[in-house]
């Protein structure tokens, strides 16, 4: 059956059962700290029902990479960095569960749960078009054809003998059927006489010339889809997207190369194929920045602890490849897995978590995975903001300062974010996770030339992954110390495609400027100019859209009397400002239920600066939104004036 026919059948079956598959259903990067006690790692991947591979690496110390899969059993581990045979360790991984996996005490042989150690786990669930596992026994009779259930053309295959000391053999579509490499080695990917993997959507050949069919040996093969055929483009809302891509590139004269995947990756493994080089692994949970610096590396062929280095970085449509010394003209192969989540959020707290600082990591326990975090110290004027892509650096929404070093910002937690300077409840943290149709964050470099967003010096066309037309846009040139924050309000047609005001300077009136170059944004791209087009610099865009039950970007007209503002939910967080040019000096009021949205006085703070204000009653709770009270000042409730708001349930 052709790949196209399979894709149609899959789509029909998905439509009939509403059983769509997204990247978050089949892949997870989950970070944890060891405690030497039995525990469950809940990553929402069904391993007991579907099967798969768990790959664990101790980030803190020089320890083995541990690969354990459902075909061989929970206690059977092999190492990507070694040619050693399979080893049994009953205290490492103890079970495959319907929402992840369970660990034992974790240090009798493999390091998987040692007290105080930081770990990365990567889970690959078996799924057509993504990943499969095959075990077989060599028969010694030349080559052996091995069947698999990937249902699409493999892009990467890694094979290991289980009962013998023997190096891994790997196939990669970027170098073809006549070459192979070693996963546990820095060696190049080489041609060998008469070798032919003969990879198809149903089989591959275990070639005796590279010791993949030795009599009496048992083998395991891991297969990842290429993502380049229709049979692997079966994911997402319309069952027509790829979640994995394999390929190759050659570094250009700038020692780098921009790879267009058609999606933003969350996990990358890159190997120099034209010479010696490590199998470098990066993921967005441990940290991949917006530029070729400060990426957090692990190497599949080495036991090294995690280290910080200069290398690849991600973009909203792919990644920029190796930028290291000697890269010019070198060839590389890669495996890339799409960033999730692809599904809309299930609950309001998936997108926005709010918490006062605590005394244990992560200090702000927001309850969600945080891509962008900001905090307010109630006794200070500053509002500090950082992002997963910033490698610990920060901005201030009340200032024009550029991105400044603050290594205490950390995002490698599953349920919050961290700044080790603060542990007082007077520090309130707000953690946002990027979700389709609600919130996206984009970092881009404006300009012309290799690896830059297309621009002509006056405007740039910026791709994004919001999946909806943004209704509120907040942005800044993050490398210009004098660049203002732009706040653009587009909801309810209030200001068309050109209106903006300064987030950091409320004396600036709202006007019909040209921040968006008089071009309407779309669900996939935004045209920016002026303050959001710092030419030759990196720029940041924060994009918000309304989603029923989760988020509302809206407006209301002031009356001077009490106003019930309908959001479709009781508001847990509200940001409000005037969106009329005739109403200058209007703050960016921030209310939330952690500070208190109650029938009496409600504390608030201003995104443009200033300490927390108490003793006022300008807002009240409401079952379907919030109420602006009759005692609210003109900056919140002037008759016939329009106010814009961002609210989260």
């Amino acid at each position: 059956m052709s790949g196209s026919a399979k894709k149609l059948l899959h789509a029909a079956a998905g439509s009939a059962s509403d059983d769509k598959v997204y990247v978050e259903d089949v892949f997870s990067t989950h970070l944890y700290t060891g405690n030497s006690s039995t525990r469950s790692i809940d990553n929402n991947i069904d391993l007991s029902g579907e099967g798969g591979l768990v790959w664990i690496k101790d980030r803190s110390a020089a320890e083995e990479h541990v690969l354990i899969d459902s075909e061989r059993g929970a206690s059977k581990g092999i190492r990507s960095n070694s040619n050693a045979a399979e080893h049994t360790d009953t205290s490492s991984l103890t079970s495959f569960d319907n929402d992840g996996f369970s660990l034992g005490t974790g240090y009798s042989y493999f390091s998987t749960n040692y007290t105080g150690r930081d770990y990365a786990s990567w889970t690959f669930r078996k799924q057509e078009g993504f990943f499969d596992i095959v075990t077989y026994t060599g028969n010694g009779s030349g080559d052996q054809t091995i069947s698999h259930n990937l249902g699409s053309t493999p892009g990467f295959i890694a094979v290991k003998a289980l009962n013998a000391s023997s190096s891994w053999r790997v196939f990669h579509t970027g170098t073809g059927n006549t070459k192979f490499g070693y996963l546990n080695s820095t060696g190049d990917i080489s041609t060998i006489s008469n070798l032919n993997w003969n990879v198809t959507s149903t089989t591959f050949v275990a070639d005796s010339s590279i010791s993949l069919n030795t009599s009496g040996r048992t083998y395991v093969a891991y297969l990842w889809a290429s993502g380049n055929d229709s049979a692997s483009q079966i994911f997402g809302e319309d069952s027509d997207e790829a979640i994995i891509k394999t390929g190759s590139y050659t570094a250009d004269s700038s020692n780098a190369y921009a790879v267009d995947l058609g999606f933003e990756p969350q996990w990358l493994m890159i190997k120099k194929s034209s010479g010696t080089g490590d199998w470098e692994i990066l993921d967005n949970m441990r940290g991949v920045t917006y530029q070729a610096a400060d990426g957090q590396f692990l190497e599949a062929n080495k036991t090294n602890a995690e280290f910080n280095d200069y290398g690849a970085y991600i973009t909203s449509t792919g990644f920029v490849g190796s930028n290291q010394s000697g890269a010019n003209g070198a060839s590389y192969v890669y495996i890339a897995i799409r960033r999730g989540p692809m599904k809309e959020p299930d609950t309001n707290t998936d997108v926005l978590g709010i918490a006062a600082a605590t005394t244990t990591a992560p200090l702000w326990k927001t309850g969600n995975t945080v891509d962008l975090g900001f905090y307010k110290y109630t006794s200070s004027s500053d509002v500090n903001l950082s992002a997963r892509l910033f490698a610990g650096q920060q901005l201030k929404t009340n200032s024009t300062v550029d991105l400044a070093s603050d290594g205490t910002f950390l995002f490698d937690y599953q349920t919050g974010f961290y700044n080790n300077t603060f542990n007082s409840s007077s520090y309130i943290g707000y953690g946002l996770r990027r979700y389709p149709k609600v919130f996206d964050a984009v970092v881009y470099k404006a300009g012309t030339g290799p690896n830059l967003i297309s621009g002509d010096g006056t405007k740039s066309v910026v791709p994004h992954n919001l999946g909806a037309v943004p209704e509120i846009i907040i942005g800044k040139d993050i490398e210009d110390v004098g660049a203002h924050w732009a706040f653009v309000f587009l909801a309810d047609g209030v200001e068309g495609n050109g209106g903006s005001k300064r987030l950091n300077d409320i004396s600036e009136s709202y006007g019909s400027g040209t921040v968006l170059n008089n071009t309407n944004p779309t669900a996939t791209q935004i045209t920016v100019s002026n303050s959001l087009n710092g030419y030759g610099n990196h720029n940041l865009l924060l994009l918000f859209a309304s989603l029923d039950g989760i988020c509302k970007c809206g407006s209301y007209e002031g009356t001077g009397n009490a106003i019930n503002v309908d959001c479709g939910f009781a508001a847990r967080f509200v940001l409000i400002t005037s969106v009329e040019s005739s109403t200058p000096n209007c703050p960016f009021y921030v209310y939330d239920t952690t500070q208190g949205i109650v029938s009496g006085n409600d504390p608030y703070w201003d995104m443009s600066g200033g300490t927390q204000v108490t003793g006022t009653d300008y807002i009240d709770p409401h079952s379907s939104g919030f109420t602006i009270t009759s005692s609210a000042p003109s900056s919140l409730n002037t008759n016939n004036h329009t106010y814009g708001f961002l609210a989260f349930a």
Side-chain angles (χ1 to χ4, degrees):
M1 182 182 295
S2 70
S4 297
K6 285 185 178 182
K7 184 176 177 181
L8 288 172
L9 284 176
H10 179 95
S15 177
S17 63
D18 199 28
D19 190 23
K20 298 171 184 176
V21 183
Y22 302 85
V23 67
E24 58 265 38
D25 297 323
V26 298
F27 177 77
S28 166
T29 297
H30 191 98
L31 310 180
Y32 62 94
T33 301
N35 62 12
S36 298
S37 300
T38 56
R39 64 192 299 185
S40 296
I41 301 297
D42 298 333
N43 59 20
N44 297 315
I45 307 293
D46 181 6
L47 291 173
S48 62
E50 302 291 343
L53 164 68
V54 177
W55 183 335
I56 299 174
K57 177 66 179 79
D58 187 330
R59 302 167 60 193
S60 307
E63 297 283 358
E64 312 273 3
H65 288 256
V66 187
L67 282 71
I68 303 174
D69 65 74
S70 57
E71 297 299 302
R72 296 179 296 117
S75 63
K76 306 291 186 181
I78 50 178
R79 289 144 283 195
S80 66
N81 56 277
S82 172
N83 64 359
E86 178 184 79
H87 186 85
T88 300
D89 181 1
T90 58
S91 66
S92 54
L93 193 148
T94 57
S95 69
F96 297 99
D97 307 327
N98 63 6
D99 58 357
F101 56 93
S102 294
L103 296 171
T105 53
Y107 204 73
S108 67
Y109 190 84
F110 295 125
S111 176
T112 59
N113 193 22
Y114 190 70
T115 297
R117 298 271 185 90
D118 291 326
Y119 292 88
S121 68
W122 304 300
T123 298
F124 305 85
R125 200 198 83 183
K126 292 174 66 175
Q127 166 65 43
E128 287 191 12
F130 177 62
F131 178 71
D132 192 27
I133 306 169
V134 176
T135 57
Y136 68 94
T137 301
N139 59 30
S141 300
D143 301 336
Q144 182 179 177
T145 298
I146 308 298
S147 297
H148 65 80
N149 294 307
L150 191 59
S152 62
T153 305
F156 183 66
I157 304 174
V159 187
K160 177 72 181 74
L162 300 174
N163 57 349
S165 295
S166 178
S167 289
W168 291 76
R169 271 67 167 176
V170 299
F171 158 86
H172 196 288
T173 190
T175 51
N177 278 292
T178 62
K179 293 186 176 183
F180 83 105
Y182 300 106
L183 184 61
N184 56 296
S185 167
T186 61
D188 60 358
I189 297 180
S190 306
T191 301
I192 186 170
S193 178
N194 300 320
L195 172 64
N196 191 345
W197 289 87
N198 197 22
V199 170
T200 75
S201 61
T202 57
T203 62
F204 70 93
V205 169
D207 198 305
S208 59
S209 63
I210 54 173
S211 302
L212 291 184
N213 193 33
T214 303
S215 180
R217 285 190 181 178
T218 56
Y219 297 86
V220 64
Y222 301 127
L223 300 90
W224 286 265
S226 71
N228 298 310
D229 58 354
S230 60
S232 58
Q233 295 163 7
I234 58 174
F235 300 93
E237 186 66 24
D238 297 319
S239 300
D240 61 355
E241 299 180 75
I243 61 171
I244 187 170
K245 285 290 180 72
T246 60
S248 61
Y249 65 90
T250 300
D252 59 24
S253 58
S254 65
N255 293 343
Y257 186 82
V259 179
D260 185 0
L261 300 170
F263 57 74
E264 180 182 328
Q266 63 172 305
W267 188 91
L268 289 168
M269 184 160 68
I270 302 173
K271 167 75 170 76
K272 187 176 184 180
S273 57
S274 59
T276 59
D278 295 303
W279 292 88
E280 298 174 333
I281 301 175
L282 299 104
D283 62 69
N284 65 355
M285 285 298 298
R286 293 181 300 115
V288 183
T289 68
Y290 66 92
Q291 57 184 343
D294 299 317
Q296 301 300 312
F297 284 81
L298 291 167
E299 295 167 330
N301 56 294
K302 289 182 177 177
T303 61
N304 292 349
E306 181 180 278
F307 62 96
N308 178 282
D309 200 6
Y310 190 82
Y313 61 98
I314 65 175
T315 69
S316 58
T317 57
F319 68 97
V320 176
S322 178
N323 211 338
Q324 298 185 3
S325 175
N328 185 28
S331 296
Y332 295 82
V333 294
Y334 64 84
I335 308 170
I337 297 176
R338 187 187 195 111
R339 181 184 65 83
M342 296 174 72
K343 287 182 285 192
E344 297 173 9
D346 292 326
T347 66
N348 55 344
T349 53
D350 289 342
V351 184
L352 174 65
I354 308 172
T358 62
T359 58
T360 58
L363 296 191
W364 287 294
K365 295 175 175 59
T366 57
N368 61 336
T369 300
V370 177
D371 292 315
L372 181 133
F374 58 96
Y375 71 87
K376 175 65 177 176
Y377 178 43
T378 57
S379 298
S380 169
S381 181
D382 287 341
V383 184
N384 299 70
L385 177 148
S386 187
R388 185 175 296 279
L389 290 172
F390 287 175
Q393 299 179 91
Q394 69 174 3
L395 299 164
K396 298 179 186 294
T397 66
N398 58 301
S399 170
T400 64
V401 297
D402 58 346
L403 198 63
S405 177
D406 184 347
T408 56
F409 258 116
L410 297 174
F411 291 88
D412 55 344
Y413 297 93
Q414 301 296 140
T415 56
F417 67 109
Y418 181 78
N419 188 309
N420 64 9
T421 306
F422 314 123
N423 57 13
S424 162
S425 60
S426 295
Y427 292 88
I428 305 173
Y430 304 79
L432 284 160
R433 187 177 188 188
R434 297 164 67 188
Y435 263 97
K437 302 180 182 178
V438 184
F439 170 66
D440 192 23
V442 184
V443 177
Y444 59 96
K445 189 172 185 178
T448 56
N451 311 328
L452 302 181
I453 292 297
S454 61
D456 59 9
T458 61
K459 67 178 184 300
S460 294
V461 180
V462 183
H464 66 83
N465 294 307
L466 183 62
V469 177
E471 298 173 86
I472 292 176
I473 301 171
I474 300 172
K476 187 188 187 305
D477 179 337
I478 62 177
E479 293 180 334
D480 182 350
V481 69
H484 292 281
W485 286 86
F487 176 90
V488 184
F489 187 81
L490 302 168
D492 299 336
V494 168
E495 278 289 344
N497 60 34
S500 67
K501 64 186 294 188
R502 291 177 179 174
L503 180 63
N504 57 285
D505 181 5
I506 64 173
S507 66
E508 177 74 9
S509 298
Y510 196 89
S512 54
T514 57
V515 170
L516 300 186
N517 200 55
N518 292 312
T519 305
N520 289 318
T522 73
T524 58
Q525 67 181 37
I526 300 172
T527 302
V528 297
S529 57
N530 293 340
S531 57
L532 293 184
N533 188 45
Y535 200 66
N537 290 343
H538 285 93
N539 300 262
L540 170 70
L541 292 179
L542 307 178
L543 313 176
F544 299 89
S546 300
L547 184 65
D548 288 350
I550 303 292
C551 179
K552 177 66 175 179
C553 302
S555 64
Y556 65 87
E557 294 295 318
T559 65
N561 301 312
I563 306 166
N564 293 329
V565 181
D566 185 18
C567 300
F569 51 75
R572 182 170 52 101
F573 171 96
V574 187
L575 169 67
I576 311 172
T577 192
S578 168
V579 290
E580 288 206 13
S581 58
S582 59
T583 316
N585 297 312
C586 287
F588 287 82
Y589 292 91
V590 175
Y591 289 94
D592 62 76
T593 53
T594 298
Q595 295 181 92
I597 299 178
V598 297
S599 297
N601 291 338
D602 315 275
Y604 71 86
W605 54 270
D606 182 359
M607 206 88 177
S608 62
T611 61
Q612 184 189 62
V613 178
T614 60
T616 64
D617 185 18
Y618 301 160
I619 188 173
D620 280 344
H622 192 277
S623 59
S624 62
F626 57 94
T627 296
I628 298 296
T629 68
S630 58
S631 60
S634 60
S635 52
L636 282 172
N637 195 2
T638 295
N639 190 41
N640 293 326
H641 282 256
T642 304
Y643 302 85
F645 67 86
L646 169 67
F648 281 94

